[in-house]
Short mmCIF file of all heavy atoms in Angstrom, two decimals:
data_model
loop_
_atom_site.label_atom_id
_atom_site.label_comp_id
_atom_site.label_asym_id
_atom_site.label_seq_id
_atom_site.Cartn_x
_atom_site.Cartn_y
_atom_site.Cartn_z
N MET Y 291 14.96 -5.16 12.10
CA MET Y 291 14.53 -6.53 12.23
C MET Y 291 13.92 -6.97 10.90
O MET Y 291 13.19 -6.25 10.26
CB MET Y 291 13.54 -6.64 13.37
CG MET Y 291 13.02 -8.01 13.60
SD MET Y 291 12.83 -8.23 15.35
CE MET Y 291 13.17 -9.91 15.49
N VAL Y 292 14.22 -8.17 10.49
CA VAL Y 292 13.73 -8.71 9.22
C VAL Y 292 12.34 -9.28 9.44
O VAL Y 292 12.11 -10.03 10.38
CB VAL Y 292 14.68 -9.82 8.71
CG1 VAL Y 292 14.17 -10.41 7.43
CG2 VAL Y 292 16.09 -9.27 8.55
N PRO Y 293 11.37 -8.90 8.58
CA PRO Y 293 10.02 -9.44 8.75
C PRO Y 293 10.00 -10.94 8.50
O PRO Y 293 10.74 -11.46 7.68
CB PRO Y 293 9.19 -8.70 7.71
CG PRO Y 293 10.17 -8.18 6.72
CD PRO Y 293 11.47 -8.00 7.45
N ALA Y 294 9.14 -11.63 9.23
CA ALA Y 294 9.01 -13.08 9.08
C ALA Y 294 8.33 -13.41 7.76
O ALA Y 294 7.42 -12.71 7.32
CB ALA Y 294 8.21 -13.66 10.24
N VAL Y 295 8.81 -14.48 7.12
CA VAL Y 295 8.23 -14.93 5.85
C VAL Y 295 7.25 -16.04 6.16
O VAL Y 295 7.58 -16.97 6.89
CB VAL Y 295 9.34 -15.43 4.91
CG1 VAL Y 295 8.76 -15.95 3.61
CG2 VAL Y 295 10.35 -14.32 4.64
N PRO Y 296 6.02 -15.97 5.62
CA PRO Y 296 5.05 -17.04 5.87
C PRO Y 296 5.57 -18.39 5.38
O PRO Y 296 6.33 -18.47 4.42
CB PRO Y 296 3.82 -16.61 5.06
CG PRO Y 296 4.01 -15.17 4.77
CD PRO Y 296 5.47 -14.90 4.80
N ALA Y 297 5.15 -19.46 6.05
CA ALA Y 297 5.64 -20.80 5.73
C ALA Y 297 5.21 -21.26 4.35
O ALA Y 297 5.90 -22.05 3.71
CB ALA Y 297 5.16 -21.79 6.78
N ASP Y 298 4.08 -20.78 3.85
CA ASP Y 298 3.60 -21.23 2.55
C ASP Y 298 4.18 -20.41 1.40
O ASP Y 298 3.82 -20.62 0.25
CB ASP Y 298 2.08 -21.21 2.50
CG ASP Y 298 1.52 -19.81 2.72
OD1 ASP Y 298 2.28 -18.91 3.10
OD2 ASP Y 298 0.31 -19.63 2.50
N ASP Y 299 5.09 -19.49 1.68
CA ASP Y 299 5.71 -18.67 0.64
C ASP Y 299 6.70 -19.53 -0.16
O ASP Y 299 7.56 -20.19 0.41
CB ASP Y 299 6.44 -17.49 1.28
CG ASP Y 299 6.88 -16.47 0.25
OD1 ASP Y 299 6.56 -16.64 -0.94
OD2 ASP Y 299 7.53 -15.49 0.66
N THR Y 300 6.56 -19.54 -1.47
CA THR Y 300 7.42 -20.37 -2.32
C THR Y 300 8.59 -19.58 -2.88
O THR Y 300 9.28 -20.06 -3.77
CB THR Y 300 6.60 -20.97 -3.48
OG1 THR Y 300 6.02 -19.90 -4.22
CG2 THR Y 300 5.53 -21.90 -2.95
N ARG Y 301 8.82 -18.40 -2.37
CA ARG Y 301 9.93 -17.56 -2.82
C ARG Y 301 11.26 -18.24 -2.47
O ARG Y 301 11.43 -18.77 -1.39
CB ARG Y 301 9.83 -16.20 -2.15
CG ARG Y 301 10.89 -15.24 -2.61
CD ARG Y 301 10.70 -13.91 -1.98
NE ARG Y 301 10.84 -14.05 -0.53
CZ ARG Y 301 10.75 -13.05 0.33
NH1 ARG Y 301 10.49 -11.86 -0.12
NH2 ARG Y 301 10.89 -13.24 1.61
N ARG Y 302 12.20 -18.21 -3.40
CA ARG Y 302 13.51 -18.82 -3.18
C ARG Y 302 14.46 -17.77 -2.62
O ARG Y 302 14.45 -16.62 -3.06
CB ARG Y 302 14.06 -19.38 -4.49
CG ARG Y 302 13.12 -20.39 -5.11
CD ARG Y 302 13.74 -21.02 -6.29
NE ARG Y 302 13.89 -22.41 -5.87
CZ ARG Y 302 14.82 -23.24 -6.26
NH1 ARG Y 302 15.71 -22.86 -7.10
NH2 ARG Y 302 14.88 -24.47 -5.82
N ILE Y 303 15.28 -18.18 -1.70
CA ILE Y 303 16.27 -17.29 -1.11
C ILE Y 303 17.64 -17.84 -1.48
O ILE Y 303 17.93 -19.02 -1.28
CB ILE Y 303 16.12 -17.23 0.42
CG1 ILE Y 303 14.76 -16.66 0.79
CG2 ILE Y 303 17.22 -16.39 1.03
CD1 ILE Y 303 14.48 -16.67 2.27
N ALA Y 304 18.49 -16.99 -2.01
CA ALA Y 304 19.84 -17.40 -2.38
C ALA Y 304 20.67 -17.64 -1.13
O ALA Y 304 20.43 -17.03 -0.07
CB ALA Y 304 20.50 -16.33 -3.25
N LEU Y 305 21.62 -18.53 -1.23
CA LEU Y 305 22.49 -18.87 -0.10
C LEU Y 305 23.25 -17.65 0.40
O LEU Y 305 23.41 -17.45 1.59
CB LEU Y 305 23.46 -19.98 -0.50
CG LEU Y 305 24.40 -20.47 0.58
CD1 LEU Y 305 23.62 -21.01 1.77
CD2 LEU Y 305 25.33 -21.52 0.03
N VAL Y 306 23.66 -16.80 -0.52
CA VAL Y 306 24.39 -15.58 -0.14
C VAL Y 306 23.49 -14.67 0.70
O VAL Y 306 23.93 -14.10 1.70
CB VAL Y 306 24.89 -14.85 -1.39
CG1 VAL Y 306 25.48 -13.51 -1.05
CG2 VAL Y 306 25.90 -15.72 -2.13
N ASP Y 307 22.23 -14.54 0.32
CA ASP Y 307 21.30 -13.71 1.09
C ASP Y 307 21.07 -14.29 2.47
O ASP Y 307 20.99 -13.56 3.46
CB ASP Y 307 19.97 -13.57 0.35
CG ASP Y 307 20.09 -12.80 -0.94
OD1 ASP Y 307 21.01 -11.96 -1.05
OD2 ASP Y 307 19.27 -13.05 -1.84
N LEU Y 308 20.96 -15.59 2.56
CA LEU Y 308 20.77 -16.24 3.85
C LEU Y 308 21.97 -16.02 4.76
O LEU Y 308 21.82 -15.68 5.93
CB LEU Y 308 20.51 -17.73 3.66
CG LEU Y 308 20.30 -18.56 4.91
CD1 LEU Y 308 19.07 -18.09 5.66
CD2 LEU Y 308 20.20 -20.03 4.56
N LEU Y 309 23.17 -16.20 4.23
CA LEU Y 309 24.38 -15.97 5.01
C LEU Y 309 24.50 -14.52 5.45
O LEU Y 309 24.92 -14.23 6.57
CB LEU Y 309 25.62 -16.39 4.23
CG LEU Y 309 25.85 -17.88 4.10
CD1 LEU Y 309 27.02 -18.16 3.17
CD2 LEU Y 309 26.08 -18.52 5.45
N ASP Y 310 24.12 -13.60 4.58
CA ASP Y 310 24.16 -12.19 4.93
C ASP Y 310 23.23 -11.88 6.09
O ASP Y 310 23.60 -11.16 7.02
CB ASP Y 310 23.79 -11.35 3.71
CG ASP Y 310 23.93 -9.87 3.97
OD1 ASP Y 310 24.98 -9.47 4.51
OD2 ASP Y 310 23.00 -9.11 3.63
N ARG Y 311 22.05 -12.44 6.08
CA ARG Y 311 21.10 -12.24 7.19
C ARG Y 311 21.63 -12.84 8.49
O ARG Y 311 21.52 -12.25 9.56
CB ARG Y 311 19.75 -12.85 6.87
CG ARG Y 311 18.97 -12.10 5.84
CD ARG Y 311 17.62 -12.73 5.65
NE ARG Y 311 16.91 -12.15 4.53
CZ ARG Y 311 15.71 -12.51 4.16
NH1 ARG Y 311 15.08 -13.47 4.82
NH2 ARG Y 311 15.13 -11.94 3.14
N LEU Y 312 22.18 -14.05 8.40
CA LEU Y 312 22.67 -14.73 9.60
C LEU Y 312 23.86 -14.00 10.20
O LEU Y 312 23.94 -13.79 11.40
CB LEU Y 312 23.04 -16.17 9.29
CG LEU Y 312 21.88 -17.11 8.96
CD1 LEU Y 312 22.42 -18.48 8.57
CD2 LEU Y 312 20.94 -17.23 10.13
N LEU Y 313 24.82 -13.62 9.36
CA LEU Y 313 26.01 -12.96 9.86
C LEU Y 313 25.74 -11.54 10.31
O LEU Y 313 26.43 -11.02 11.18
CB LEU Y 313 27.11 -12.98 8.80
CG LEU Y 313 27.65 -14.36 8.46
CD1 LEU Y 313 28.67 -14.26 7.34
CD2 LEU Y 313 28.23 -15.05 9.67
N GLY Y 314 24.75 -10.90 9.73
CA GLY Y 314 24.41 -9.53 10.13
C GLY Y 314 23.93 -9.45 11.56
O GLY Y 314 24.26 -8.51 12.29
N GLY Y 315 23.17 -10.41 12.00
CA GLY Y 315 22.66 -10.41 13.36
C GLY Y 315 23.42 -11.32 14.29
O GLY Y 315 23.43 -11.14 15.49
N GLY Y 316 24.07 -12.31 13.73
CA GLY Y 316 24.82 -13.26 14.55
C GLY Y 316 23.99 -14.51 14.83
O GLY Y 316 22.76 -14.45 14.87
N VAL Y 317 24.66 -15.61 14.96
CA VAL Y 317 24.02 -16.89 15.22
C VAL Y 317 24.78 -17.58 16.33
O VAL Y 317 26.01 -17.59 16.33
CB VAL Y 317 24.04 -17.78 13.95
CG1 VAL Y 317 23.44 -19.13 14.22
CG2 VAL Y 317 23.33 -17.11 12.81
N VAL Y 318 24.07 -18.15 17.27
CA VAL Y 318 24.69 -18.95 18.33
C VAL Y 318 24.34 -20.41 18.08
O VAL Y 318 23.16 -20.75 17.93
CB VAL Y 318 24.21 -18.52 19.73
CG1 VAL Y 318 24.80 -19.42 20.80
CG2 VAL Y 318 24.55 -17.08 19.99
N ILE Y 319 25.36 -21.24 18.01
CA ILE Y 319 25.16 -22.67 17.81
C ILE Y 319 25.59 -23.37 19.10
O ILE Y 319 26.68 -23.13 19.60
CB ILE Y 319 26.00 -23.19 16.62
CG1 ILE Y 319 25.58 -22.46 15.35
CG2 ILE Y 319 25.84 -24.69 16.47
CD1 ILE Y 319 26.45 -22.77 14.16
N THR Y 320 24.70 -24.19 19.64
CA THR Y 320 25.01 -24.92 20.86
C THR Y 320 24.88 -26.41 20.61
O THR Y 320 24.14 -26.84 19.73
CB THR Y 320 24.08 -24.53 22.02
OG1 THR Y 320 22.74 -24.84 21.66
CG2 THR Y 320 24.19 -23.06 22.34
N GLY Y 321 25.61 -27.16 21.38
CA GLY Y 321 25.54 -28.62 21.25
C GLY Y 321 26.19 -29.26 22.45
O GLY Y 321 26.78 -28.60 23.30
N GLY Y 322 26.10 -30.55 22.50
CA GLY Y 322 26.71 -31.27 23.62
C GLY Y 322 27.12 -32.66 23.20
O GLY Y 322 26.51 -33.26 22.32
N ILE Y 323 28.18 -33.14 23.82
CA ILE Y 323 28.69 -34.49 23.58
C ILE Y 323 28.82 -35.17 24.93
O ILE Y 323 29.36 -34.59 25.87
CB ILE Y 323 30.06 -34.45 22.88
CG1 ILE Y 323 29.95 -33.76 21.52
CG2 ILE Y 323 30.62 -35.85 22.72
CD1 ILE Y 323 31.29 -33.52 20.86
N THR Y 324 28.31 -36.37 25.02
CA THR Y 324 28.46 -37.15 26.25
C THR Y 324 29.07 -38.50 25.90
O THR Y 324 28.55 -39.22 25.06
CB THR Y 324 27.09 -37.38 26.92
OG1 THR Y 324 26.49 -36.11 27.18
CG2 THR Y 324 27.25 -38.13 28.23
N LEU Y 325 30.21 -38.79 26.52
CA LEU Y 325 30.85 -40.09 26.35
C LEU Y 325 30.49 -40.95 27.56
O LEU Y 325 30.70 -40.56 28.70
CB LEU Y 325 32.37 -39.93 26.25
CG LEU Y 325 32.88 -39.07 25.10
CD1 LEU Y 325 34.39 -38.90 25.21
CD2 LEU Y 325 32.50 -39.67 23.78
N SER Y 326 29.93 -42.11 27.28
CA SER Y 326 29.53 -42.97 28.38
C SER Y 326 30.03 -44.38 28.14
O SER Y 326 30.26 -44.81 27.02
CB SER Y 326 28.01 -42.96 28.55
OG SER Y 326 27.38 -43.36 27.35
N LEU Y 327 30.20 -45.10 29.24
CA LEU Y 327 30.65 -46.48 29.22
C LEU Y 327 29.74 -47.27 30.14
O LEU Y 327 29.60 -46.95 31.32
CB LEU Y 327 32.11 -46.55 29.70
CG LEU Y 327 32.78 -47.90 29.68
CD1 LEU Y 327 32.89 -48.43 28.25
CD2 LEU Y 327 34.16 -47.82 30.29
N ALA Y 328 29.07 -48.27 29.60
CA ALA Y 328 28.13 -49.10 30.35
C ALA Y 328 27.04 -48.24 31.01
O ALA Y 328 26.73 -48.38 32.19
CB ALA Y 328 28.86 -49.94 31.40
N ASP Y 329 26.49 -47.31 30.24
CA ASP Y 329 25.43 -46.40 30.69
C ASP Y 329 25.84 -45.51 31.86
O ASP Y 329 25.01 -45.05 32.64
CB ASP Y 329 24.16 -47.17 31.05
CG ASP Y 329 23.48 -47.75 29.82
OD1 ASP Y 329 23.62 -47.13 28.75
OD2 ASP Y 329 22.82 -48.80 29.94
N VAL Y 330 27.14 -45.26 32.01
CA VAL Y 330 27.65 -44.33 33.02
C VAL Y 330 28.34 -43.20 32.26
O VAL Y 330 29.28 -43.43 31.50
CB VAL Y 330 28.65 -45.02 33.97
CG1 VAL Y 330 29.23 -44.01 34.94
CG2 VAL Y 330 27.99 -46.18 34.69
N ASP Y 331 27.84 -41.98 32.47
CA ASP Y 331 28.43 -40.82 31.81
C ASP Y 331 29.83 -40.57 32.36
O ASP Y 331 30.01 -40.35 33.56
CB ASP Y 331 27.57 -39.58 32.01
CG ASP Y 331 26.22 -39.70 31.33
OD1 ASP Y 331 26.08 -40.58 30.47
OD2 ASP Y 331 25.32 -38.89 31.66
N MET Y 332 30.82 -40.63 31.48
CA MET Y 332 32.21 -40.40 31.89
C MET Y 332 32.67 -38.97 31.60
O MET Y 332 33.31 -38.36 32.43
CB MET Y 332 33.14 -41.37 31.15
CG MET Y 332 32.78 -42.82 31.39
SD MET Y 332 32.86 -43.20 33.10
CE MET Y 332 34.04 -44.49 33.10
N VAL Y 333 32.32 -38.47 30.43
CA VAL Y 333 32.74 -37.13 30.03
C VAL Y 333 31.56 -36.43 29.38
O VAL Y 333 30.88 -37.01 28.53
CB VAL Y 333 33.91 -37.20 29.01
CG1 VAL Y 333 34.30 -35.80 28.54
CG2 VAL Y 333 35.10 -37.92 29.59
N ARG Y 334 31.32 -35.21 29.78
CA ARG Y 334 30.26 -34.40 29.18
C ARG Y 334 30.90 -33.09 28.72
O ARG Y 334 31.56 -32.41 29.50
CB ARG Y 334 29.16 -34.12 30.17
CG ARG Y 334 28.04 -33.28 29.57
CD ARG Y 334 26.89 -33.10 30.51
NE ARG Y 334 26.23 -34.41 30.65
CZ ARG Y 334 25.50 -34.75 31.69
NH1 ARG Y 334 25.32 -33.91 32.67
NH2 ARG Y 334 24.94 -35.93 31.73
N ILE Y 335 30.70 -32.76 27.46
CA ILE Y 335 31.26 -31.54 26.87
C ILE Y 335 30.11 -30.72 26.32
O ILE Y 335 29.31 -31.22 25.53
CB ILE Y 335 32.25 -31.88 25.74
CG1 ILE Y 335 33.39 -32.75 26.27
CG2 ILE Y 335 32.80 -30.60 25.12
CD1 ILE Y 335 34.28 -33.30 25.18
N SER Y 336 30.03 -29.47 26.75
CA SER Y 336 29.03 -28.53 26.22
C SER Y 336 29.75 -27.57 25.28
O SER Y 336 30.81 -27.05 25.60
CB SER Y 336 28.38 -27.74 27.34
OG SER Y 336 27.64 -28.59 28.17
N LEU Y 337 29.18 -27.38 24.11
CA LEU Y 337 29.79 -26.53 23.09
C LEU Y 337 28.87 -25.37 22.76
O LEU Y 337 27.67 -25.55 22.60
CB LEU Y 337 30.04 -27.34 21.82
CG LEU Y 337 30.85 -28.62 21.98
CD1 LEU Y 337 30.79 -29.44 20.71
CD2 LEU Y 337 32.28 -28.29 22.32
N ARG Y 338 29.45 -24.20 22.67
CA ARG Y 338 28.72 -23.01 22.22
C ARG Y 338 29.65 -22.20 21.34
O ARG Y 338 30.82 -22.02 21.66
CB ARG Y 338 28.30 -22.13 23.39
CG ARG Y 338 27.22 -22.73 24.22
CD ARG Y 338 26.77 -21.76 25.27
NE ARG Y 338 25.85 -22.44 26.16
CZ ARG Y 338 25.62 -22.07 27.38
NH1 ARG Y 338 26.23 -21.03 27.88
NH2 ARG Y 338 24.76 -22.74 28.11
N THR Y 339 29.13 -21.73 20.25
CA THR Y 339 29.92 -20.88 19.37
C THR Y 339 29.05 -19.76 18.84
O THR Y 339 27.85 -19.93 18.64
CB THR Y 339 30.54 -21.70 18.21
OG1 THR Y 339 31.39 -20.86 17.46
CG2 THR Y 339 29.49 -22.30 17.33
N LEU Y 340 29.66 -18.63 18.64
CA LEU Y 340 28.98 -17.46 18.08
C LEU Y 340 29.57 -17.19 16.71
O LEU Y 340 30.78 -17.07 16.56
CB LEU Y 340 29.18 -16.24 18.98
CG LEU Y 340 28.70 -14.91 18.42
CD1 LEU Y 340 27.18 -14.91 18.27
CD2 LEU Y 340 29.14 -13.76 19.30
N ILE Y 341 28.72 -17.12 15.72
CA ILE Y 341 29.15 -16.82 14.37
C ILE Y 341 28.48 -15.51 13.96
O ILE Y 341 27.26 -15.41 13.95
CB ILE Y 341 28.76 -17.95 13.39
CG1 ILE Y 341 29.41 -19.25 13.83
CG2 ILE Y 341 29.15 -17.59 11.97
CD1 ILE Y 341 28.99 -20.44 13.02
N ALA Y 342 29.30 -14.52 13.67
CA ALA Y 342 28.77 -13.21 13.27
C ALA Y 342 29.84 -12.48 12.48
O ALA Y 342 31.02 -12.81 12.55
CB ALA Y 342 28.38 -12.39 14.50
N SER Y 343 29.42 -11.49 11.74
CA SER Y 343 30.38 -10.67 11.01
C SER Y 343 31.06 -9.72 11.99
O SER Y 343 30.52 -9.39 13.04
CB SER Y 343 29.68 -9.89 9.90
OG SER Y 343 28.79 -8.95 10.46
N VAL Y 344 32.25 -9.28 11.64
CA VAL Y 344 33.01 -8.39 12.51
C VAL Y 344 32.26 -7.07 12.68
O VAL Y 344 32.21 -6.52 13.77
CB VAL Y 344 34.42 -8.15 11.94
CG1 VAL Y 344 35.16 -7.11 12.74
CG2 VAL Y 344 35.20 -9.45 11.91
N SER Y 345 31.65 -6.59 11.63
CA SER Y 345 30.94 -5.31 11.73
C SER Y 345 29.73 -5.39 12.65
O SER Y 345 29.32 -4.39 13.23
CB SER Y 345 30.51 -4.83 10.34
OG SER Y 345 29.63 -5.76 9.75
N ALA Y 346 29.15 -6.57 12.81
CA ALA Y 346 28.01 -6.73 13.71
C ALA Y 346 28.46 -6.72 15.17
O ALA Y 346 27.71 -6.29 16.05
CB ALA Y 346 27.26 -8.02 13.42
N LEU Y 347 29.66 -7.17 15.45
CA LEU Y 347 30.15 -7.25 16.82
C LEU Y 347 30.95 -6.02 17.25
O LEU Y 347 31.03 -5.71 18.43
CB LEU Y 347 31.03 -8.49 16.99
CG LEU Y 347 30.32 -9.82 16.79
CD1 LEU Y 347 31.32 -10.96 16.88
CD2 LEU Y 347 29.23 -10.01 17.82
N GLU Y 348 31.58 -5.36 16.31
CA GLU Y 348 32.44 -4.24 16.63
C GLU Y 348 31.61 -2.98 16.83
O GLU Y 348 30.73 -2.69 16.01
CB GLU Y 348 33.43 -4.05 15.47
CG GLU Y 348 34.51 -3.05 15.74
CD GLU Y 348 35.50 -3.03 14.59
OE1 GLU Y 348 35.19 -2.35 13.59
OE2 GLU Y 348 36.53 -3.68 14.69
N PRO Y 349 31.86 -2.23 17.90
CA PRO Y 349 31.09 -0.98 18.08
C PRO Y 349 31.44 0.03 16.99
O PRO Y 349 32.53 0.01 16.43
CB PRO Y 349 31.52 -0.50 19.46
CG PRO Y 349 32.80 -1.17 19.75
CD PRO Y 349 32.81 -2.45 18.95
N ALA Y 350 30.51 0.90 16.71
CA ALA Y 350 30.74 1.92 15.69
C ALA Y 350 31.84 2.87 16.14
O ALA Y 350 31.93 3.22 17.33
CB ALA Y 350 29.45 2.69 15.45
N PRO Y 351 32.72 3.28 15.23
CA PRO Y 351 33.79 4.19 15.62
C PRO Y 351 33.24 5.57 15.96
O PRO Y 351 32.17 5.97 15.48
CB PRO Y 351 34.68 4.25 14.37
CG PRO Y 351 33.79 3.86 13.24
CD PRO Y 351 32.77 2.92 13.83
N ASP Y 352 33.96 6.27 16.82
CA ASP Y 352 33.57 7.63 17.18
C ASP Y 352 33.73 8.54 15.97
O ASP Y 352 34.66 8.38 15.18
CB ASP Y 352 34.42 8.15 18.33
CG ASP Y 352 34.16 7.38 19.63
OD1 ASP Y 352 33.04 6.88 19.78
OD2 ASP Y 352 35.09 7.29 20.46
N PRO Y 353 32.84 9.51 15.83
CA PRO Y 353 33.00 10.45 14.71
C PRO Y 353 34.27 11.27 14.91
O PRO Y 353 34.68 11.51 16.05
CB PRO Y 353 31.75 11.32 14.78
CG PRO Y 353 31.21 11.14 16.14
CD PRO Y 353 31.68 9.81 16.63
N PRO Y 354 34.91 11.68 13.83
CA PRO Y 354 36.14 12.49 13.96
C PRO Y 354 35.86 13.83 14.62
O PRO Y 354 34.76 14.39 14.46
CB PRO Y 354 36.64 12.64 12.52
CG PRO Y 354 35.45 12.38 11.67
CD PRO Y 354 34.55 11.46 12.45
N ASP Y 355 36.83 14.30 15.37
CA ASP Y 355 36.68 15.59 16.02
C ASP Y 355 36.74 16.69 14.97
O ASP Y 355 37.57 16.66 14.05
CB ASP Y 355 37.80 15.82 17.04
CG ASP Y 355 37.67 14.88 18.23
OD1 ASP Y 355 36.53 14.47 18.51
OD2 ASP Y 355 38.69 14.57 18.85
N THR Y 356 35.87 17.66 15.10
CA THR Y 356 35.88 18.81 14.19
C THR Y 356 36.36 20.03 14.98
O THR Y 356 35.96 20.24 16.12
CB THR Y 356 34.47 19.07 13.61
OG1 THR Y 356 33.55 19.26 14.69
CG2 THR Y 356 34.02 17.90 12.75
N PRO Y 357 37.24 20.79 14.36
CA PRO Y 357 37.72 21.98 15.07
C PRO Y 357 36.61 23.02 15.21
O PRO Y 357 35.75 23.16 14.35
CB PRO Y 357 38.86 22.50 14.17
CG PRO Y 357 38.58 21.91 12.82
CD PRO Y 357 37.83 20.63 13.06
N ASP Y 358 36.61 23.73 16.35
CA ASP Y 358 35.63 24.78 16.58
C ASP Y 358 36.05 26.02 15.80
O ASP Y 358 37.18 26.46 15.89
CB ASP Y 358 35.52 25.11 18.07
CG ASP Y 358 34.96 23.93 18.86
OD1 ASP Y 358 34.20 23.13 18.26
OD2 ASP Y 358 35.30 23.80 20.04
N ASP Y 359 35.14 26.58 15.03
CA ASP Y 359 35.45 27.79 14.26
C ASP Y 359 34.90 29.00 14.93
O ASP Y 359 33.94 29.11 15.51
CB ASP Y 359 34.91 27.71 12.83
CG ASP Y 359 35.68 26.68 12.01
OD1 ASP Y 359 36.89 26.51 12.27
OD2 ASP Y 359 35.07 26.08 11.11
#
């Protein structure tokens, strides 16, 4: 787990580092769209997406079998 950075810290974080942190753990983005006509909801769409690196989502491979000596 990445330690929290205090709000008053003026340290700059590169965009690449930020993306690496986000993709390493994964990010869920949610949103919603409502289309209405005369204040009557006609269509409601809920959106959810998961953004993560493949290595974060893929289980670790099994170790290779070693022959018994």
